[in-house]
Amino acid sequence: MSQDHLSTFARGLDVIRVFTHHKPRLTLSEVAAETGLTRATARRFLLTLVKEGYVGVEGRYFSLLPKVFDLGFSVFVSMDIWDVAKPIIDELAEELQESVNAAILDNDAVIYLARAQPNRMVSVGIRVGHRMPAYAGSTGRILLAALSEEDLREYLENTTLTAITPATITSKVRLRDEIEQARKQGYAYVEDELEIGLRSISVPIRNLDNDVVAALNIGCPSGRVDEDTMRGPMLTALREASQRITDSLRG
């Protein structure tokens, strides 16, 4: 092992990572088992995280606190791609007069990290920092489509599909088909699965190495925008904006 590798710091990160959407509350014994640490070592890490405000404790159970989001947000704002993305996202929202969002995949959820909103009386109520299950939205599905086969298989095996609305896909076979379709066509379209009366469409955002690093999304009330418009002019505008973000990274 390199002498520059801080194993203690790495193990502390391992403790944070054991908390997931499906395991939001864990006992000391469970954390020790998940990380391979002794109970005494796991306890020291957990109590340090509690003292620093990243973990809360209630009885025997530990859980992450919102301050953990600061760690990811610090990485987010430090990435060059977001320096060039925000004005393009703002411009797209103004052009389409609809809310535009950018999000990343975090385990089995998506986190919305950028948002632009026109001056409308009715807009889609997503806020920066908001988390949503990846399986039920167009943003999550286009990000899942970028996973390797191994990672996608692991996601499907470990994720419980719960109906959010009557339209939510809860069959893993159907969900895989939708993800495969998104991968082939280069965009994902979802209607009524997260909220009845809501349509959304998403495309990937790529870095200079052509890796998918985020998703660009438009969400619209069904009564205001029809499916043909979303799959037509709006999809074209989304793709152009995504390409502009990548091109802008070249300076």
Side-chain angles (χ1 to χ4, degrees):
M1 181 181 296
S2 168
Q3 65 182 27
D4 294 326
H5 182 265
L6 297 176
S7 59
T8 301
F9 180 75
R11 284 183 293 176
L13 293 176
D14 287 340
V15 170
I16 291 175
R17 282 194 288 262
V18 299
F19 294 94
T20 68
H21 177 69
H22 295 298
K23 301 175 183 177
R25 300 172 73 243
L26 296 170
T27 65
L28 170 60
S29 296
E30 289 170 334
V31 172
E34 290 280 345
T35 57
L37 299 171
T38 65
R39 281 175 52 89
T41 301
R43 181 175 182 275
R44 286 197 297 272
F45 279 117
L46 285 167
L47 293 182
T48 299
L49 290 168
V50 168
K51 183 177 180 180
E52 295 299 321
Y54 293 105
V55 168
V57 58
E58 183 177 352
R60 297 172 52 242
Y61 290 92
F62 295 86
S63 58
L64 298 183
L65 294 177
K67 188 177 178 181
V68 169
F69 177 71
D70 292 345
L71 301 174
F73 191 76
S74 296
V75 174
F76 160 73
V77 297
S78 69
M79 295 169 63
D80 290 342
I81 190 170
W82 301 110
D83 292 336
V84 300
K86 190 56 170 70
I88 295 172
I89 292 172
D90 290 341
E91 184 179 323
L92 182 61
E94 189 63 28
E95 173 191 344
L96 298 178
Q97 284 298 292
E98 298 292 347
S99 299
V100 179
N101 308 283
I104 60 171
L105 187 65
D106 180 45
N107 293 321
D108 58 355
V110 294
I111 304 177
Y112 288 86
L113 295 179
R115 173 170 170 77
Q117 186 175 350
N119 293 321
R120 275 191 178 275
M121 293 295 293
V122 178
S123 62
V124 177
I126 295 173
R127 66 186 185 277
V128 171
H130 194 65
R131 294 175 65 94
M132 288 187 179
Y135 66 86
S138 66
T139 306
R141 288 184 191 169
I142 198 62
L143 291 170
L144 290 171
L147 294 179
S148 67
E149 279 302 313
E150 181 181 353
D151 288 342
L152 178 57
R153 183 169 58 252
E154 182 179 352
Y155 168 83
L156 291 171
E157 288 174 353
N158 296 326
T159 298
T160 300
L161 306 184
T162 303
I164 300 171
T165 76
T168 306
I169 290 176
T170 56
S171 161
K172 292 187 178 182
V173 173
R174 284 189 61 200
L175 178 60
R176 175 176 268 283
D177 289 343
E178 290 291 324
I179 293 170
E180 291 292 346
Q181 181 67 18
R183 182 180 289 165
K184 291 176 182 177
Q185 64 193 12
Y187 73 91
Y189 174 83
V190 169
E191 183 174 339
D192 294 333
E193 292 193 49
L194 274 173
E195 181 180 337
I196 296 297
L198 175 66
R199 293 187 169 108
S200 72
I201 193 165
S202 300
V203 300
I205 298 175
R206 299 178 183 273
N207 61 17
L208 287 177
D209 295 323
N210 206 39
D211 298 321
V212 175
V213 293
L216 196 60
N217 162 268
I218 301 173
C220 307
S222 301
R224 187 164 70 215
V225 181
D226 60 29
E227 181 177 346
D228 288 342
T229 299
M230 295 199 75
R231 291 185 185 265
M234 284 191 171
L235 175 58
T236 298
L238 267 179
R239 283 174 161 163
E240 290 175 350
S242 176
Q243 188 60 52
R244 283 179 59 200
I245 292 170
T246 302
D247 291 342
S248 295
L249 293 173
R250 297 186 174 95

